[in-house]
């Protein structure tokens, strides 16, 4: 499968759908699902509470991605117009040097058990550690299926932390959750061990819940961009100048949390879009990513350097807690179809793809910011939206949008005036 689809964005929606169904070898059910709405009232009512309807996102596909030597089509559900185009553009730049390379930790999640009012916190810590093997066995008894497939509680750590309410003893269960996101598995284990921790500490266990700072479950991606790929034909900057300006933009994010917040938001634009399309928990990934970025003072999740050959060396590292089994994906036919398009075999493989998408998204944003400016692409796409709102259809949409961009007057009144002129 070749993810490089020239002129894909110019095709009508139905032809795009047929192209993706053919390239991804989608099942008949998946092909039908991506042309529909996915959740009827009955299904929606099983996913959430007090349901009164459903809200649809556009389901798009980012092209050009090659991850670990394999071409990928990336399903994305997002309302921001430029995200899919930007990801595809950066992926095309990365293809010249083989695409993205990834390295992903084993899918380990952390469950926390909080004990308060402990008279001897340090001694209590040692008592828990002395019983570690027995506690691990008890944890594994809660999910024999997970253990059967190679997962389970791999370690137990104990921390004594200082809080405004005094010292607390916090026990961490380190659990390999295999291809699940893992929330239910680790929470069940924590609940089962709570009475044991109370007995060992002599305190009261109040909280027993997973942590979304999944720093035992890191995903990393890298790519290399030659400078000639960075300069646009009509740009006033050379590729080397754009490269150096991208490094300066990254340094800005490393030194200033106000910049880092928007910098990292751009990364999550892509990652969230894929997790939304596959009905994974994008909120958990957001929480973990931003907390990880703040571990030494809030800064960038990506890194940009110039290598010995003068190329832009790009990398990203962040926690990604994602599942390919369980969760809500199986309840949403369109999400199941998105998983077919993504075609990953494990949660680790999916995490590597997500890290690559985040890096691509960030790279494209930085390149635009330091060269033509982010608004040029945004406003071109916004012009199309305005043309549609004015009543343009078919070829009229591009005609109206192009006129507005050429004339530098992008607004609703101008769209309506141009459309009226075309009609006459």
């Amino acid at each position: 499968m070749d993810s490089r689809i020239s002129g894909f964005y110019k095709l009508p929606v139905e032809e795009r759908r047929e192209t993706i169904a053919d390239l991804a070898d989608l099942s008949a059910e998946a092909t039908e699902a991506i042309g529909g709405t996915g959740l009827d009232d009955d299904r929606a009512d099983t996913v959430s509470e007090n349901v009164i309807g459903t809200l649809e996102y556009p389901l798009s596909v980012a092209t050009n991605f090659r991850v670990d030597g394999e071409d990928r089509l990336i399903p994305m559900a997002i309302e921001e117009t430029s995200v899919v185009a930007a990801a595809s553009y950066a992926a095309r730049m990365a293809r010249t040097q083989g695409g993205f390379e990834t390295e992903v930790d084993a899918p380990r999640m952390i469950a926390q058990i909080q004990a308060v009012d402990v008279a001897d916190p340090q001694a209590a810590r040692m008592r828990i550690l002395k019983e570690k093997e027995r506690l691990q066995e008890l944890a594994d008894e809660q999910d024999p299926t997970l253990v059967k497939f190679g997962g389970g509680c791999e370690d137990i750590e104990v921390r004594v932390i200082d809080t405004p309410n005094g010292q607390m003893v916090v026990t961490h269960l380190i659990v390999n959750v295999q291809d699940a996101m893992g929330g239910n598995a680790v929470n069940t284990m924590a609940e089962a061990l709570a009475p044991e921790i109370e007995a060992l500490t002599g305190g009261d266990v109040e909280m027993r819940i997973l942590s979304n700072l999944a720093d035992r479950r890191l995903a990393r991606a890298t790519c290399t961009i030659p400078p000639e790929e960075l300069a646009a034909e009509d740009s006033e900057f050379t590729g080397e100048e754009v490269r150096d300006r991208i490094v300066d933009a990254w340094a800005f994010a490393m030194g200033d949390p106000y910049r880092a917040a928007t910098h990292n938001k751009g990364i999550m634009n892509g990652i969230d879009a894929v997790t939304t399309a596959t009905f994974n928990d994008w909120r958990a990934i957001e929480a973990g990513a931003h907390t990880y970025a703040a571990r030494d003072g809030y800064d960038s999740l990506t890194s940009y350097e110039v290598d010995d050959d003068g190329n832009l060396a790009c990398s990203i590292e962040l926690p990604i807690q994602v599942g390919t089994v369980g969760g809500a994906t199986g309840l949403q036919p369109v999400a199941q179809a998105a998983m077919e398009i993504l075609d990953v075999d494990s949660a680790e493989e999916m995490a590597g793809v997500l890290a690559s998408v985040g890096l691509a998204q960030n790279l494209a944003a930085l390149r635009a910011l330091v060269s033509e400016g982010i608004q040029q692409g945004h406003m071109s796409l916004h012009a199309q939206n305005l043309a549609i709102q004015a009543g343009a259809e078919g070829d009229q949409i591009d005609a109206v949008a192009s006129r507005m961009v050429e004339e530098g007057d992008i607004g609703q009144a101008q769209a309506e005036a141009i459309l009226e002129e075309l009609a006459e």
Side-chain angles (χ1 to χ4, degrees):
M1 189 270 289
D2 188 353
S3 65
R4 180 80 179 99
I5 312 173
S6 181
F8 184 65
Y9 72 99
K10 297 179 181 177
L11 298 176
V13 173
E14 181 61 33
E15 287 188 37
R16 290 186 209 139
R17 190 155 50 231
E18 292 172 358
T19 299
I20 296 302
D22 182 55
L23 283 173
D25 194 23
L26 294 186
S27 64
E29 294 80 7
T31 303
E32 181 180 357
I34 60 175
T37 57
L39 284 180
D40 56 26
D41 285 351
D42 290 339
R43 286 178 186 260
D45 207 30
T46 66
V47 175
S48 187
E49 297 291 329
N50 298 340
V51 169
I52 61 170
T54 59
L55 172 67
E56 291 184 67
Y57 277 94
L59 179 65
S60 304
V61 171
T63 58
N64 304 325
F65 274 83
R66 181 171 292 155
V67 181
D68 295 324
E70 184 173 351
D71 274 39
R72 298 280 186 187
L73 296 168
I74 310 296
M76 304 178 81
I78 191 168
E79 83 293 346
E80 191 169 332
T81 51
S82 61
V83 167
V84 179
S88 301
Y89 180 80
R92 181 166 62 83
M93 288 194 293
R95 284 179 76 89
T96 63
Q97 299 297 308
F100 301 90
E101 297 290 332
T102 73
E103 196 251 335
V104 181
D105 292 345
R108 299 183 181 94
M109 293 294 290
I110 299 170
Q112 295 186 293
I113 305 172
Q114 169 214 31
V116 302
D117 299 329
V118 179
D120 53 349
Q122 295 297 338
R125 174 179 177 273
M126 299 305 293
R127 291 194 294 272
I128 295 171
L129 291 174
K130 188 176 180 180
E131 297 293 321
K132 181 166 73 169
E133 186 175 336
R134 180 177 66 83
L135 294 172
Q136 284 180 250
E137 290 176 357
L138 177 59
D140 283 344
E141 288 173 6
Q142 311 310 309
D143 199 333
T145 302
L146 180 62
V147 175
K148 176 182 176 182
F149 285 99
C153 185
E154 295 185 344
D155 198 7
I156 290 179
E157 300 173 345
V158 187
R159 302 161 57 224
V160 177
I161 63 172
D162 294 316
T163 81
N165 281 356
Q167 289 191 323
M168 299 178 183
V169 179
V170 180
T171 302
H172 282 192
L173 311 183
I174 314 300
V175 183
N176 186 320
V177 296
Q178 294 294 289
D179 289 326
M181 183 273 185
N184 289 333
V186 299
N187 288 342
T188 300
M189 291 180 182
E191 292 280 358
L193 265 61
E196 300 292 330
I197 299 301
E198 280 193 335
L200 289 167
T201 61
D204 295 323
V205 167
E206 295 183 345
M207 299 283 288
R208 50 272 202 198
I209 186 71
L210 89 164
S211 170
N212 285 127
L213 177 53
D215 58 2
R216 305 302 180 90
R217 198 174 183 175
L218 299 177
R220 306 165 191 87
T222 60
C223 69
T224 301
I225 311 296
E228 58 267 22
E229 292 292 325
L230 294 168
E233 291 182 6
D234 56 350
S235 174
E236 61 180 291
F237 303 110
T238 66
E240 287 77 10
E241 289 172 328
V242 174
R243 175 200 66 196
D244 294 343
R245 289 165 72 92
I246 288 174
V247 175
D248 284 341
W250 161 76
F252 182 13
M254 289 297 293
D256 179 26
Y258 289 90
R259 173 62 205 141
T262 308
H263 178 97
N264 289 337
K265 187 265 184 183
I267 294 168
M268 303 313 294
N269 276 345
I271 292 174
D272 288 351
V274 182
T275 51
T276 298
T278 58
F279 245 45
N280 268 275
D281 189 349
W282 61 267
R283 300 163 304 280
I285 298 176
E286 281 272 353
H290 292 294
T291 307
Y292 190 71
R295 64 197 186 282
D296 295 315
Y298 191 83
D299 55 35
S300 170
L301 291 165
T302 52
S303 178
Y304 295 90
E305 304 166 296
V306 180
D307 68 16
D308 291 340
D309 296 322
N311 298 318
L312 184 66
C314 319
S315 62
I316 187 172
E317 179 183 78
L318 76 166
I320 295 184
Q321 44 197 303
V322 70
T324 58
V325 298
T329 302
L331 301 174
Q332 224 290 16
V334 181
Q336 293 178 59
M339 289 297 294
E340 279 196 40
I341 293 170
L342 197 58
D343 192 27
V344 293
D345 294 326
S346 67
E348 292 174 63
E349 192 175 359
M350 185 172 180
V353 172
L354 287 170
S356 301
V357 172
L359 180 58
Q361 206 72 60
N362 188 234
L363 170 62
L366 292 184
R367 185 206 159 276
L369 281 165
V370 303
S371 52
E372 68 266 17
I374 204 75
Q375 282 302 94
Q376 179 172 313
H378 273 294
M379 293 311 292
S380 295
L381 291 166
H382 182 53
Q384 292 182 329
N385 292 340
L386 292 175
I388 293 169
Q389 292 173 25
E393 298 178 352
D395 293 340
Q396 291 178 328
I397 297 171
D398 283 339
V400 173
S402 298
R403 277 275 302 277
M404 285 193 287
V405 172
E406 289 170 6
E407 296 170 5
D409 185 359
I410 300 176
Q412 190 66 50
Q414 180 68 355
E416 293 172 358
I418 294 171
L419 183 61
E420 184 177 348
E421 180 183 324
L422 290 174
E424 291 174 354

